[in-house]
Amino acid sequence: MNAATNPASRTDVLANDLSTIRPANAAFLATPRRLLIDGAWVEAATGQTFEVRDPSSDRVIARVAQGERADIDRAVAAARRAFEGDEWSRMKPVEREKLLHRLADLIEARADELAELEAIDNGKSVVMARHVDLKHAIEVWRYMAGWPTKLEGQTLPISGTLVPGQEYVAFSQREPIGVVGAIIAWNFPLLLATWKIAPALAAGCTVVLKPAEETPLTALRLGELALEAGFPKGVLNIVTGMGPTAGAALAEHPGVDKITFTGSTEVGRLIVRAAAGNMKKVTVELGGKSPTIVLDDADAEAVIPGVAGAIFFNQGQVCCAGSRLYVAQRHFERILEGVSAQARAIKLGPGLDPNAQMGPLVSSTQRDRVMKYLGEGLEGGARATAGGRAVPAPGYYVEPTVFADVREDMSIVREEIFGPVLVVKPFDDLAEVARLANDTVYGLGASIWTRDVHKIFTLAPKLRAGTVWVNCHNVLDATMPFGGYKQSGWGRELGREAVYSYLESKSLCINFAA
Ligand code: ADP
C-alpha cells in the first residue's frame, strides 16, 4: 500500500484568506486585546503583549496582553471582592439563572462570528467550530443555567445519641467553593472555557480564567459578552499569558479556593503540586490514549468511517481521541485498508475553507511534536499505510497517518500524540483486547463497536475509562460526566458532577432542646 499524500498542491490554498472575514472579527483582530480584570479591560502590569498566529499560514493575526503574577494578583483580588460582595453573593438563584441564559443568548446570536474567530485562531474547520464547538458550548451554558435553582441539600435523620437528653435537627447545604482559577488547553478554546466557567458561575463562584497562549481570542470575546450580559464586575476575570508564569501564579495563588485545569498530564502534575500550598480543591482533565475496539460481529464497512472519525476529528487534537484501534482478526485487513483509504482521502485545508476536512495543527511546536512521534514510529519498524509526513507549507499541517505493525513498547502506542496519528493492531478474543485496551497509564475514553449486547456488558465493565462509547466515539453531552480514570485526571466535567465540584457541603446541626 502506498504512503500516499493529501496536501493540496499549492501552499497558498492552505492559508486562510483573512480579507473576507466578518467585519466584527476584523475589528477584533486589529486592536491589541487586553486583560479583563474587575469588569474593565486593562493592560498587563508590565505593558507586555504576545503574538497570536494563524496556524494555516504562520502569520501574526493579533496581539494580546501578556499577564503575569501581578495581573493574576489583581484578578484574584477582584474575584474575591466579587465573591464576597452583595451583588453576586446575595443574587437570588433565579436571577443567576437569568444572567446565565442571557449570556447563552448572546453567544447564540454571535455563534457564526465566534466560530469564524475560533477557526482562525485554532486552525479548525469553521464548519466544525460552528456545529460542534459553538453548538455544544451553547447547550452547556443553557444546561448549567438551569442549576442555580436546583442546588438542594438534604434533611438528615440524626440520632444525636452522644449527648443524652438533647434533640437535634440537621441539614446539609451546598455553598459555592469561592474563587476558582481555571487554566485551559487550546484544542477547544471556547468550549473548554465554557466547561469551566458555566458550572462555576452556576454554583455561585467567581472565576479567573487563564486561556491557552496559542488560542486566547474567543475567551476574550466571551469576556465581552459576559459584561454585556450584565455579570457584576469581578465575577469573571480573564488573564491571558504564558503557562509557566501566569498559569503557575494562578495555580499556586493562596487566594484561590479551587483550581480547575484541562491540559497535559505533565502540566497537570505541576498544577496538583502547586495547589497543595493552600490545599485548594482540584479538578484536572488530562491526557488520553483511548482505544477503539472493533469486535468480530461488527459490520466492518459501517464501522470504518466511525473509527476514522474517532481519531481524525479536530486533527486528532482531542484528549479522548480514539488513537489506538484494536480490530478482531477476521476484520483486521479490511478495516486497516478502509481506515487508511479514508485517511488518504481527507482534504487538508485552512479553517475558513468550508470544504476542508482537516486543518493544520495548532502550532509549530505541536507539529514538531507530532513529527517526532512519526519519526520514532517509522524508525521503530511501524508501517505507515497512510500519511507519515508533514506538509511542506508555512502552516502547521501534518498528513493523517495510520500505522500498522506496531509493538506495545513503541512510543506511538504508549504516549499521547495529540495529532492525526492512529495505530492499528489485531486481537484474538475479549480477554486479550481488554488487556491491550487497559495497557496504558491513561483512562479517559474507550469505544466498542459491536451489535452483541452480551459482549457490550462483558467488555465495558472491564475497561478502565471514564467514558465507554458503544458504536460511537467522542460523543459528549452537557448532561454526561466526562473525565478520567488513572492518569487522565481527577474529577469530572459536565453534568451534575461538574456543578457539584464547585460546591462545598455544609452540615447544619441544630439542638432545639437547648
Ligand atoms: P499543551 O502541552 O498541549 O500545550 P499544556 O498542558 O502545556 O498543553 O497547556 C495547557 C494549559 O496549561 C495552557 O493554558 C498553558 O498555558 C498552561 N500551563 C502550561 N504550563 C503551566 C504551568 N507550569 N503552570 C500552570 N499552567 C501551565
Side-chain angles (χ1 to χ4, degrees):
M1 205 174 292
N2 275 336
T5 57
N6 309 66
S9 53
R10 300 190 344 263
T11 59
D12 54 344
V13 301
L14 290 176
N16 278 322
D17 174 5
L18 296 185
S19 68
T20 60
I21 66 174
R22 286 156 194 273
N25 283 335
F28 186 81
L29 294 175
T31 319
R33 309 315 315 180
R34 292 184 284 182
L35 312 174
L36 176 58
I37 298 179
D38 210 14
W41 294 99
V42 297
E43 306 281 353
T46 60
Q48 303 266 29
T49 59
F50 65 96
E51 293 171 341
V52 180
R53 286 171 188 271
D54 175 345
S56 74
S57 64
D58 193 38
R59 286 186 212 122
V60 175
I61 49 167
R63 295 201 74 89
V64 168
Q66 186 168 331
E68 295 192 358
R69 184 173 296 271
D71 306 291
I72 292 288
D73 285 345
R74 278 195 291 166
V76 171
R80 174 64 56 194
R81 279 194 302 278
F83 182 69
E84 288 171 1
D86 288 350
E87 203 181 351
W88 184 242
S89 68
R90 297 221 179 146
M91 187 179 284
K92 299 294 180 209
V94 73
E95 294 299 326
R96 213 155 70 225
E97 292 199 358
K98 252 195 236 167
L99 262 184
L100 290 161
H101 274 300
R102 207 174 295 149
L103 179 53
D105 290 342
L106 291 172
I107 296 170
E108 193 155 29
R110 288 171 176 77
D112 291 339
E113 189 184 306
L114 284 160
E116 185 183 76
L117 192 60
E118 198 75 298
I120 297 168
D121 196 8
N122 167 277
K124 67 176 67 197
S125 147
V126 66
V127 180
M128 285 294 173
R130 179 66 187 85
H131 292 290
V132 179
D133 299 55
L134 265 295
K135 187 165 190 289
H136 180 47
I138 293 161
E139 286 176 4
V140 172
W141 279 104
R142 294 217 181 283
Y143 169 87
M144 293 300 171
W147 269 106
T149 52
K150 297 164 194 75
L151 302 176
E152 299 165 348
Q154 290 172 314
T155 309
L156 307 169
I158 71 163
S159 301
T161 56
L162 298 183
V163 187
Q166 305 300 306
E167 293 292 339
Y168 302 95
V169 60
F171 309 93
S172 67
Q173 295 179 323
R174 299 286 174 175
E175 294 182 352
I177 277 184
V179 173
V180 171
I183 301 174
I184 54 173
W186 41 256
N187 52 339
F188 293 91
L190 183 74
L191 197 50
L192 293 180
T194 297
W195 280 17
K196 310 293 191 192
I197 302 169
L201 298 185
C205 294
T206 58
V207 177
V208 178
L209 172 73
K210 208 296 282 171
E213 48 271 50
E214 295 84 354
T215 54
L217 300 179
T218 47
L220 294 170
R221 279 293 282 134
L222 180 67
E224 291 182 349
L225 298 179
L227 291 184
E228 192 179 332
F231 282 89
K233 65 178 189 176
V235 167
L236 173 61
N237 306 274
I238 303 175
V239 179
T240 47
M242 303 298 136
T245 49
L250 187 57
E252 69 193 29
H253 204 291
V256 172
D257 300 299
K258 164 163 178 153
I259 195 88
T260 172
F261 170 79
T262 296
S264 60
T265 295
E266 199 184 342
V267 175
R269 271 194 199 94
L270 298 177
I271 300 282
V272 166
R273 285 198 198 105
N278 69 333
M279 295 302 280
K280 51 177 74 67
K281 310 290 185 276
V282 182
T283 299
V284 285
E285 198 259 279
L286 308 174
K289 192 75 182 174
S290 299
T292 44
I293 302 168
V294 181
L295 300 184
D296 55 0
D297 70 286
D299 174 345
E301 298 308 318
V303 156
I304 287 167
V307 297
I311 177 65
F312 296 128
F313 168 60
N314 211 47
Q315 296 69 249
Q317 301 170 135
V318 179
C319 45
C320 53
S323 52
R324 294 181 293 145
L325 173 58
Y326 297 107
V327 184
Q329 281 288 1
R330 69 178 278 250
H331 292 314
F332 180 73
E333 285 304 330
R334 174 63 201 116
I335 287 187
L336 174 62
E337 186 185 298
V339 171
S340 304
Q342 293 240 331
R344 288 192 298 268
I346 289 172
K347 183 176 179 315
L348 298 182
L352 296 186
D353 173 356
N355 298 315
Q357 294 168 318
M358 185 182 284
L361 301 187
V362 74
S363 64
S364 58
T365 308
Q366 189 59 16
R367 178 195 50 201
D368 295 349
R369 198 179 121 88
V370 172
M371 290 314 299
K372 174 188 84 82
Y373 281 110
L374 296 188
E376 287 174 7
L378 291 169
E379 278 161 30
R383 176 166 55 105
T385 57
R389 294 179 301 190
V391 177
Y396 318 131
Y397 292 91
V398 173
E399 295 173 359
T401 298
V402 179
F403 279 122
D405 302 344
V406 295
R407 295 184 316 273
E408 281 161 68
D409 63 343
M410 289 176 163
S411 63
I412 54 170
V413 176
R414 305 215 71 77
E415 296 175 25
E416 181 178 50
I417 299 175
F418 226 64
V421 184
L422 178 67
V423 296
V424 193
K425 203 173 158 56
F427 69 86
D428 288 317
D429 56 35
L430 286 189
E432 184 192 9
V433 78
R435 182 189 65 74
L436 288 169
N438 288 330
D439 183 14
T440 168
V441 298
Y442 297 113
L444 198 51
S447 61
I448 307 170
W449 300 74
T450 179
R451 295 186 193 150
D452 185 328
V453 173
H454 177 74
K455 285 179 182 155
I456 295 171
F457 287 104
T458 305
L459 188 52
K462 293 196 168 77
L463 298 176
R464 306 274 300 151
T467 303
V468 176
W469 291 284
V470 177
N471 298 323
C472 58
H473 198 107
N474 288 337
V475 174
L476 300 178
D477 191 86
T479 63
M480 201 165 70
F482 178 77
Y485 282 38
K486 301 195 272 183
Q487 294 183 30
S488 288
W490 291 353
R492 294 291 179 268
E493 310 276 0
L494 301 173
R496 172 192 296 263
E497 291 192 35
V499 187
Y500 278 75
S501 77
Y502 293 96
L503 294 165
E504 288 280 15
S505 171
K506 177 179 280 179
S507 296
L508 185 65
C509 176
I510 301 166
N511 176 2
F512 62 90

